[in-house]
């Protein structure tokens, strides 16, 4: 029973690692173009829409550690008794390539719309100030 509860808690924690980056995205509403460039550097690509709005996209890539869970069951014999135990071992599962692409639309030099794509935990790191 404890093993099942522990596994459920560990899996819930891992599921949360993806993260929700809406707070990071929303923090850039009404930011100036200069603020964005000061934080993220030059845009990867840019264009101007027919209505005059400027659209700029920033792309960032990185790596994150992939953790692994290894369930274990042990049986021990000694001192006239037999013991059975269960556990979970956390290990390194290597690294995973992640990406966060942010496209911001500017009108009058300020963010009026935006679209973000990528791994939530990584994108969350691009929060304003």
């Amino acid at each position: 029973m404890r093993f099942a509860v522990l596994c459920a808690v560990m899996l819930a924690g891992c599921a949360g690692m993806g993260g929700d980056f809406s707070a990071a995205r929303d923090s850039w509403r009404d930011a100036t173009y200069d603020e964005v460039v000061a934080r993220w550097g030059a845009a990867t690509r840019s264009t101007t829409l027919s209505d005059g709005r400027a659209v700029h996209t920033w792309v960032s890539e990185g790596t994150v550690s992939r953790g692994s869970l290894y369930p274990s069951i042990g049986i021990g014999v000694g001192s006239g008794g037999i013991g059975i135990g269960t556990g979970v071992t956390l290990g390194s599962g290597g690294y995973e390539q992640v990406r966060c692409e942010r496209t911001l639309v500017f009108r009058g030099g300020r963010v009026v719309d935006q679209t973000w794509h990528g791994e939530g935990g990584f994108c969350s790191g691009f929060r304003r100030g």
Side-chain angles (χ1 to χ4, degrees):
M1 177 66 175
R2 287 189 309 183
F3 178 72
V5 171
L6 181 60
C7 285
V9 169
M10 297 299 289
L11 289 174
C14 290
M17 291 175 76
D20 176 13
F21 55 80
S22 60
R25 181 193 60 225
D26 294 347
S27 72
W28 289 97
R29 277 192 201 134
D30 204 39
T32 66
Y33 175 76
D34 290 340
E35 285 179 89
V36 179
V37 170
R39 182 73 183 268
W40 297 343
T44 304
R45 57 186 179 269
S46 301
T47 191
T48 302
L49 300 177
S50 60
D51 64 3
R53 293 181 296 161
V55 180
H56 303 281
T57 299
W58 286 263
V59 177
S60 301
E61 296 179 333
T63 55
V64 295
S65 177
R66 275 189 312 218
S68 299
L69 297 176
Y70 302 101
S72 58
I73 298 174
I75 300 174
V77 179
S79 301
I82 297 176
I84 299 175
T86 60
V88 175
T89 303
L90 295 175
S92 174
Y95 292 91
E96 177 181 358
Q97 188 75 20
V98 291
R99 177 182 172 104
C100 185
E101 183 170 316
R102 290 118 27 230
T103 300
L104 281 63
V105 180
F106 294 82
R107 181 179 316 192
R110 293 199 173 268
V111 175
V112 293
D113 195 15
Q114 52 190 317
T115 305
W116 291 38
H117 297 284
E119 196 278 327
F122 185 62
C123 286
S124 292
F126 294 97
R127 185 180 183 111
R128 183 178 180 188

